[in-house]
């Protein structure tokens, strides 16, 4: 799909493609705009490499007084199955650094992987989210295998928060930080809670994500690529950098070019 950057396609989903240099500012602008209609936005937040520019830009904006996150109620969308929740590679450490450290934020609601009864812990977390009214905005990255949070291939839209075995691709990605101590399992919100979000913001950057982004947005909808279920979400915004968008054919989804 050869178009000048940035470009936006508005159809069943809003698709925004930007140069890599402006990925963070675009993610930040879309996140704030999607959350704006909600008095106290309940947001689901991802970890990993992809959202780092989003959190850094948010932090800068708060620091400069341009915005405040004090009204936000944030929930981690997943966590690694670690014995010590304070492990530096666990998502808890990520949020301590990238969200909790932003002035004025409330601490992120987290799964506790040290709880012996994993199923009960998943239910506790899901109940906490339900008590908050469910997600207003779910921010998600995408794994190279098409996972959303830890909803690995084979996951279905009815799946709720639960403990799962990590797929080989997810373990390989985690091993860059965990090394020999890479977890074999994790706790995750299900596709049910993520797809029930009033708005979803999908973020992807880098060429390594190009093929799975094409499968997720233009391929058949099914459990082989859990992110493909997002095609059915009525309020989906996708922010890609030009590398992650490079395999899109433009055949689907139907939409029209619009000012960004
Ligand atoms: P990444 O992970 O941002 O580190 O690529 C994304 C994901 O696995 O959801």
């Amino acid at each position: 799909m050869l178009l000048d950057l940035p470009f936006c396609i508005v159809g069943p989903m809003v698709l925004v493609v930007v140069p890599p240099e402006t990925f963070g500012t675009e993610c930040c602008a879309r996140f704030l705009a999607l959350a704006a209609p909600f008095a106290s936005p309940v947001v689901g937040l991802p970890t990993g490499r992809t959202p780092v520019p989003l959190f850094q830009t948010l932090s800068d904006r708060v620091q400069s007084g341009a915005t405040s996150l004090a009204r936000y109620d944030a929930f981690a969308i997943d966590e690694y199955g670690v014995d010590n929740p304070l492990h530096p590679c666990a998502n808890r450490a990520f949020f301590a650094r990238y969200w909790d450290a932003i002035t004025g934020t409330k601490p992120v609601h987290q799964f506790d992987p040290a709880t012996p009864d994993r199923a009960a812990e998943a239910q506790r977390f899901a109940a906490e989210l339900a008590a908050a009214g469910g997600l207003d905005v779910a921010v998600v990255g995408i794994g190279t295998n098409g996972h959303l949070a830890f909803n690995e291939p084979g996951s279905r839209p009815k799946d709720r928060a639960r403990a799962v075995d990590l797929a080989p691709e997810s373990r390989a990605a985690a091993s860059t930080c965990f090394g020999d101590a890479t977890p074999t399992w994790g706790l995750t919100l299900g596709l049910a809670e993520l797809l029930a979000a009033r708005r979803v913001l999908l973020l992807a950057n880098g060429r390594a994500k190009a093929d799975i982004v094409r499968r997720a947005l233009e391929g058949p909808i099914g459990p082989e690529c859990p992110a493909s279920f997002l095609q059915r979400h009525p309020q989906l915004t996708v922010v890609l950098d030009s590398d992650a968008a490079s395999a899109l054919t433009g055949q689907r989804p139907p939409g029209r070019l619009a000012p960004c």
Side-chain angles (χ1 to χ4, degrees):
M1 198 158 57
L2 291 172
L3 292 165
D4 288 336
L5 299 177
F7 67 83
C8 291
I9 293 180
V10 178
M13 71 177 79
V14 175
L15 171 62
V16 186
V17 182
V18 295
E21 309 82 73
T22 58
F23 182 70
T25 49
E26 189 65 39
C27 292
C28 180
R30 297 285 164 178
F31 173 70
L32 293 174
L34 290 173
F38 302 99
S40 299
V42 178
V43 297
L45 298 179
T47 60
R49 184 189 45 80
T50 309
V52 168
L54 161 66
F55 292 125
Q56 287 174 333
T57 313
L58 276 171
S59 176
D60 291 348
R61 286 185 57 99
V62 170
Q63 199 68 33
S64 71
T67 197
S68 165
L69 300 175
R71 297 175 300 115
Y72 285 62
D73 206 8
F75 286 75
I77 60 173
D78 57 16
E79 179 56 289
Y80 287 106
V82 286
D83 296 335
N84 172 13
L86 300 179
H87 190 291
C89 301
N91 290 349
R92 197 168 285 245
F94 180 97
F95 287 122
R97 176 172 176 188
Y98 287 111
W99 182 269
D100 298 343
I102 300 177
T103 307
T105 51
K106 291 180 266 188
V108 176
H109 299 256
Q110 315 260 6
F111 288 103
D112 182 357
T115 305
D117 186 338
R118 298 174 191 177
E121 173 57 12
Q123 278 180 19
R124 177 202 66 78
F125 190 75
E128 203 168 299
L129 176 59
L135 293 173
D136 294 317
V137 182
V139 184
V140 287
I142 181 171
T144 53
N145 64 357
H147 75 195
L148 286 185
F150 283 144
N151 293 280
E152 306 285 19
S155 299
R156 294 177 179 277
K158 285 192 176 152
D159 290 338
R160 308 201 72 83
R162 66 205 185 285
V164 293
D165 291 334
L166 298 185
E169 299 86 349
S170 303
R171 297 197 69 215
S175 70
T176 57
C177 185
F178 283 102
D180 290 343
T182 299
T184 57
W185 64 279
L187 287 156
T188 187
L189 286 181
L191 289 178
E193 289 93 356
L194 294 172
L195 295 172
R198 293 163 191 93
R199 285 122 193 257
V200 177
L201 177 61
L202 170 67
L203 313 176
N205 61 354
R207 194 155 294 260
K209 297 289 173 68
D211 283 340
I212 198 64
V213 163
R214 180 185 49 73
R215 281 180 59 196
L217 300 185
E218 298 184 339
I221 299 173
E224 304 75 26
C225 178
S228 65
F229 290 112
L230 291 175
Q231 291 180 38
R232 293 190 187 139
H233 195 281
Q235 295 280 346
L236 172 65
T237 297
V238 183
V239 180
L240 305 175
D241 79 349
S242 46
D243 291 329
S246 58
L248 291 177
T249 64
Q251 301 301 308
R252 289 179 62 200
R256 60 185 171 78
L257 272 173
C260 286

